Amino acid sequence: IENLQDASIIKFYETGNHLTIMGDNTIQYPSTTTNYNRAVVNAGKGLTLEGAGTLNIIDSGSASCAGIGTDEDDHTSLPNITINSGTYNISVSMDGAAIGTSVRSDVGNITINGGTLNLSSVTGAGIGGTGDTLRPDMTLNRRTSTGNITIGRNAVVTAHSEWSAGIGSGCMHGYTKGIKISKYATVSVTSTYGEGIGRGVSGTVGSVDLAWDDSGMDYDTTWSLERETNPLAFVIHHGT
């Protein structure tokens, strides 16, 4: 799917939403686009993703949007985003987080229970926040905030950012409440100017735990085609 307008490709509303990934799917913002401010997959007020397929999101335009998360200037939805299974390859060429916030927006908790994630952004985090724009007089417009980021033992995560954290807060006063990563998870993170896990440039984070022992937790990360009878690649369940 190639997006040629300032709108989300997939947009949810309210809470209790599910997106099941089947097959190999690609969503792309072409390089000719500018100033796109809508998340490619808008999480509404809460979204769970799972499945046995692959979701590729390629933002090659000059956009301020997240790959999966909230729209620009959205401070009210505060969705919790949960990934249980599936493969996600998300590349954002400008300001939004791969998973998390768009510019000047907020997101709730981000929980990665399982799946394989390959994430990158220039200004935004791989998982978490993004940078904030300044007014013409160079004063801060509105910082972005992220709730708790949790990564469980079944997850495989690779994340990179230029200016924000690979996993954590955005740059330019972005804030993340906390980060907790299982000591059994497979995580590889880098940031050119920020911290791999923690803070983007001039960002803040409340707490970081990289040795969380979740060996006794029972994750429901199994998924089988028997759960779905819809042959479409995207199986969308709207919440309430």
Side-chain angles (χ1 to χ4, degrees), residues 6-19:
D6 190 4
S8 298
I9 291 291
I10 300 174
K11 183 174 178 63
F12 292 93
Y13 300 87
E14 302 306 325
T15 61
N17 300 297
H18 284 76
L19 176 59

Side-chain angles (χ1 to χ4, degrees), residues 163-174:
W163 293 95
S164 295
I167 297 174
S169 71
C171 60
M172 296 174 64
H173 309 283

Side-chain angles (χ1 to χ4, degrees), residues 101-182:
T101 69
S102 294
V103 170
R104 299 186 308 274
S105 71
D106 303 321
V107 72
N109 299 324
I110 302 173
T111 303
I112 313 297
N113 291 324
T116 300
L117 290 74
N118 300 294
L119 313 169
S120 67
S121 176
V122 174
T123 308
I127 301 175
T130 189
D132 296 282
T133 59
L134 300 177
R135 298 188 181 95
D137 63 359
M138 299 303 290
T139 59
L140 181 66
N141 195 336
R142 175 66 158 81
R143 78 175 188 176
T144 66
S145 68
T146 308
N148 291 306
I149 299 172
T150 304
I151 299 177
R153 67 178 184 272
N154 296 311
V156 178
V157 178
T158 301
H160 173 74
S161 175
E162 295 291 319
W163 293 95
S164 295
I167 297 174
S169 71
C171 60
M172 296 174 64
H173 309 283
Y175 171 74
T176 292
K177 183 177 181 180
I179 302 169
K180 185 166 64 174
I181 299 177
S182 168

Side-chain angles (χ1 to χ4, degrees), residues 17-49:
N17 300 297
H18 284 76
L19 176 59
T20 303
I21 310 300
M22 300 168 61
D24 193 351
N25 310 275
T26 298
I27 301 173
Q28 181 168 7
Y29 277 178
S31 59
T32 55
T33 63
T34 58
N35 299 321
Y36 277 3
N37 306 316
R38 305 290 181 259
V40 179
V41 177
N42 184 296
K45 294 184 179 180
L47 176 63
T48 297
L49 301 96

